[in-house]
Amino acid sequence: NAGVTQTPKFRVLKTGQSMTLLCAQDMNHEYMYWYRQDPGMGLRLIHYSVGEGTTAKGEVPDGYNVSRLKKQNFLLGLESAAPSQTSVYFCASRTPRNEQYFGPGTRLTVT
Amino acid sequence: AQTVTQSQPEMSVQEAETVTLSCTYDTSESDYYLFWYKQPPSRQMILVIRQEAYKQQNATENRFSVNFQKAAKSFSLKISDSQLGDAAMYFCAYRSYDTSGTYKYIFGTGTRLKVLA
């Protein structure tokens, strides 16, 4: 049981480039989340999904898109990266008891 | 909107001693969940303990316990017999229920705990 995995672990982008972050969970959870973590701040919710084929906006969705084509995968896309998107990105899935399990994070730097 | 406040950016504790981390929240909901998460230097977020608001009994997980004061909207974490491995950032989190019928989570800004040998 791998839990929640994230790919890649690190990435450097130039302004304007695009990329996709992949989150995978093998716990058969319906709910999945994407957060960003910036210095001095708590985690902020970007987008979330309540099941396969569904997505919804969180607190800071601008500049990001997501897709949940398969239950176990939740993709986060940046179409045109900006320096303000330099952050650590965490994916999570949750149990029916509302306990979230997090991936190890992806450190993204946009220059 | 719900908010979560952790007023202690950093705390220190001697190994084997007890430390309490504070968390307050604001909500108009009557039924909700509260959590403490630990984030060690590895960055992996780990669930430490959870509390259902409808339960009066404080949650306990081994050396970790909470003091949940619903009326005061306070949710503190007590770590007993502190160990070097407890050194980490600790985040308090609240589960909110939005108007679309979906649960979302709101995190505090964290408290960095240092454990002194």
Side-chain angles (χ1 to χ4, degrees):
Chain A
N1 218 359
V4 180
T5 58
Q6 291 183 231
T7 308
K9 288 186 169 51
F10 302 93
R11 186 71 187 268
V12 178
L13 288 179
K14 294 188 188 310
T15 298
Q17 288 185 319
S18 64
M19 77 162 293
T20 300
L21 307 184
L22 170 63
C23 176
Q25 53 98 2
D26 59 2
M27 297 173 282
N28 203 36
H29 292 163
E30 293 290 342
Y31 285 67
M32 295 186 74
Y33 305 82
W34 274 108
Y35 294 92
R36 60 178 288 171
Q37 184 178 33
D38 301 300
M41 302 183 74
L43 277 72
R44 292 184 293 167
L45 183 65
I46 304 171
H47 285 281
Y48 62 95
S49 169
V50 302
E52 182 178 317
T54 72
T55 63
K57 294 180 180 180
E59 182 185 359
V60 288
D62 293 342
Y64 305 95
N65 57 76
V66 288
S67 64
R68 184 98 181 268
L69 299 179
K70 294 183 179 180
K71 186 177 184 178
Q72 63 268 34
N73 295 335
F74 193 29
L75 279 62
L76 178 71
L78 287 72
E79 291 185 348
S80 180
S84 61
Q85 293 178 304
T86 293
S87 188
V88 180
Y89 292 85
F90 287 96
C91 174
S93 66
R94 78 159 176 89
T95 72
R97 294 184 69 217
N98 288 294
E99 297 159 341
Q100 290 193 85
Y101 288 86
F102 286 82
T106 295
R107 184 176 294 276
L108 175 66
T109 302
V110 182
T111 62
Chain B
Q2 294 86 358
T3 58
V4 175
T5 302
Q6 292 179 250
S7 59
Q8 305 155 316
E10 190 169 296
M11 295 278 287
S12 296
V13 62
Q14 287 292 138
E15 199 175 3
E17 297 292 308
T18 296
V19 64
T20 298
L21 308 184
S22 300
C23 173
T24 59
Y25 59 94
D26 188 26
T27 183
S28 57
E29 297 177 338
S30 58
D31 187 21
Y32 48 87
Y33 287 76
L34 294 163
F35 307 84
W36 277 99
Y37 283 89
K38 171 185 178 181
Q39 186 179 39
S42 67
R43 291 207 317 252
Q44 184 91 39
M45 295 280 284
I46 303 164
L47 177 64
V48 174
I49 201 164
R50 68 195 284 273
Q51 173 81 42
E52 293 96 328
Y54 65 86
K55 289 186 177 178
Q56 292 186 337
Q57 187 173 6
N58 290 325
T60 299
E61 290 284 345
N62 300 315
R63 297 183 295 108
F64 299 87
S65 62
V66 298
N67 183 4
F68 173 49
Q69 302 288 328
K70 191 172 184 179
K73 296 178 182 174
S74 170
F75 182 61
S76 60
L77 174 70
K78 186 171 83 170
I79 306 174
S80 303
D81 186 24
S82 297
Q83 300 174 0
L84 294 177
D86 294 334
M89 281 288 285
Y90 286 82
F91 291 94
C92 179
Y94 172 99
R95 186 208 73 178
S96 74
Y97 185 73
D98 69 16
T99 54
S100 68
T102 305
Y103 298 112
K104 293 190 287 189
Y105 295 79
I106 300 166
F107 286 77
T109 53
T111 295
R112 182 172 300 282
L113 178 67
K114 295 184 177 180
V115 181
L116 308 174

